[in-house]
Structure formats: C-alpha cells, structure tokens
C-alpha cells in the first residue's frame, strides 16, 4: 500500500548513515533548490536559495514531515531526488524489503510507490541503529529560523503515550493514516 510520509524513514536512514559515516555532518549547510522549495503537502515553506543546516532539516523532516526538507536533503546527498530514490530502492533491496518500491523521497502519491507493514518495520529497525535520530523524532515542539517558525510533531504519541520516542507518521487522501511508532519503557 501507499506509505505516505512513512517513506521518510528510508530518507532518514540514508541521511543518518551519511552522518554516522562522516560523509556529511549535522552542521553542513544545505542550499534549497527551486524544485525542493516547490514541494507540496507538509512543508516548512523553504525558499529557493535558502540555506539551513542538515540538522535543522532532519528536525523538520521528523517533526513536521517537511517534504521540502526531505527533497533538499536528498539533493544534497545525491545531486538529485531521482538519484537519491535509486539509492533508497537499492538500500531497501539490501535490507530484504521485498514488497517496497520508492518513487520519491517524501511519500506524496505517485504510481509505483508502495510498501508493506513488514518492510516498514525492517527500515524502522535499521534506522534505530542510528540513535541520534531519536534526538529529533522525540521532539514535541520546537522552532526553526531563530524561533520565527514553530514546529509541532505530527506524531501525537510523542506527547501522549508513555515512552514514545518516534518514528514517523504519514497521511494522504489515498494512503490514509500511516504510522511507524517506537517507544521505550
């Protein structure tokens, strides 16, 4: 089925693998392209040419499911979203995710974009091997742009479920409500 923004678990996995391997750092500056700025759906309204750190963009992807930030990160890592999506699919194959195919890095509806509960669990478990991501997924409320833009987590379990610390929600009209949740007690 369509995974909506739960797709971003794989996006975050590739980003966190790049951070942990030293290919990029959380302080690196990402410059936003016109394409990334033009993403619809959930976003932080990035503008073409705007610059933001990798860490801030990860926060926007995890907390408010920023499609614009997901694409900007994908372009930063792979040069283009399509190259990044090829890496997502390759990584899914390496993990044994046999019922998944990504058509984009953000989860908006697109033909050939699907996953299943088992595969979502596989990529979530793999992302948890990068514990730094929990510093972001566990944020309930925060800001960016020096406090000028507020963020509230789309995953309400973070506030209301004892021990919840992640991972990702998603919604589109056709995918409906999607969740990969993690908690520690």
């Amino acid at each position: 089925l369509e995974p909506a923004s739960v797709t971003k678990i794989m996006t975050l996995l590739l980003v966190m693998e790049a951070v942990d391997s030293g290919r990029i750092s959380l302080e690196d500056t990402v410059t936003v392209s016109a394409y990334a700025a033009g993403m619809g759906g959930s976003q932080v309204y990035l503008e073409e040419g705007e610059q933001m750190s990798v860490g801030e963009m990860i926060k926007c992807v995890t907390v408010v499911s920023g499609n614009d930030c997901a694409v900007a990160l994908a372009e930063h890592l792979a040069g283009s979203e399509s190259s990044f999506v090829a890496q997502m699919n390759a990584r899914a194959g390496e993990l044994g995710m046999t019922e998944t195919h990504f058509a984009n890095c953000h989860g908006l509806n697109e033909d050939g974009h699907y996953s299943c509960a088992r595969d979502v669990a596989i990529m979530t478990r793999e992302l948890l091997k990068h514990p730094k991501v929990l510093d972001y997924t566990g944020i309930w409320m925060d800001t960016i742009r020096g406090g000028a833009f507020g963020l509230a987590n789309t995953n309400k379990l973070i506030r209301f479920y004892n021990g919840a610390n992640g991972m990702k929600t998603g919604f589109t009209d056709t995918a409906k409500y999607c969740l990969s949740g993690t908690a520690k007690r």
Side-chain angles (χ1 to χ4, degrees):
L1 301 171
E2 296 173 358
S5 284
V6 171
T7 298
K8 293 182 180 96
I9 294 170
M10 183 58 80
T11 301
L12 290 166
L13 175 59
L14 295 184
V15 171
M16 295 310 295
E17 287 175 344
V19 169
D20 287 350
S21 72
R23 286 190 2 245
I24 62 171
S25 83
L26 296 173
E27 294 76 33
D28 286 353
T29 300
V30 177
T31 302
V32 179
S33 71
Y35 178 70
M39 286 294 107
S42 300
Q43 57 186 307
V44 295
Y45 306 99
L46 295 174
E47 294 184 15
E48 181 180 2
E50 184 174 354
Q51 295 186 321
M52 190 177 284
S53 72
V54 167
E56 288 285 282
M57 289 214 173
I58 293 171
K59 179 169 55 173
C60 294
V61 169
T62 58
V63 177
V64 297
S65 204
N67 295 327
D68 45 3
C69 289
V71 172
L73 283 168
E75 292 173 338
H76 183 72
L77 276 170
S80 69
E81 184 189 16
S82 61
S83 293
F84 188 81
V85 170
Q87 293 175 18
M88 292 170 69
N89 285 314
R91 190 69 176 105
E94 292 168 4
L95 293 172
M97 296 169 56
T98 58
E99 301 299 322
T100 296
H101 183 267
F102 297 108
N104 61 58
C105 69
H106 44 72
L108 291 174
N109 298 339
E110 193 167 334
D111 287 342
H113 191 84
Y114 57 86
S115 193
C116 69
R118 175 187 166 276
D119 288 358
V120 168
I122 289 170
M123 66 180 170
T124 300
R125 189 177 319 143
E126 193 67 20
L127 181 55
L128 287 170
K129 292 178 181 177
H130 304 274
K132 182 74 177 160
V133 78
L134 296 174
D135 293 348
Y136 298 98
T137 60
I139 295 170
W140 170 240
M141 297 188 92
D142 206 336
T143 62
I144 57 170
R145 298 182 180 118
F149 191 89
L151 308 173
N153 204 317
T154 58
N155 183 357
K156 304 309 177 205
L157 293 174
I158 296 301
R159 180 172 180 201
F160 297 110
Y161 186 83
N162 180 29
N165 58 6
M167 185 55 65
K168 193 71 202 73
T169 63
F171 177 84
T172 67
D173 289 340
T174 55
K176 303 301 179 196
Y177 293 96
C178 303
L179 168 71
S180 177
T182 58
K184 184 175 182 178
R185 290 185 182 171

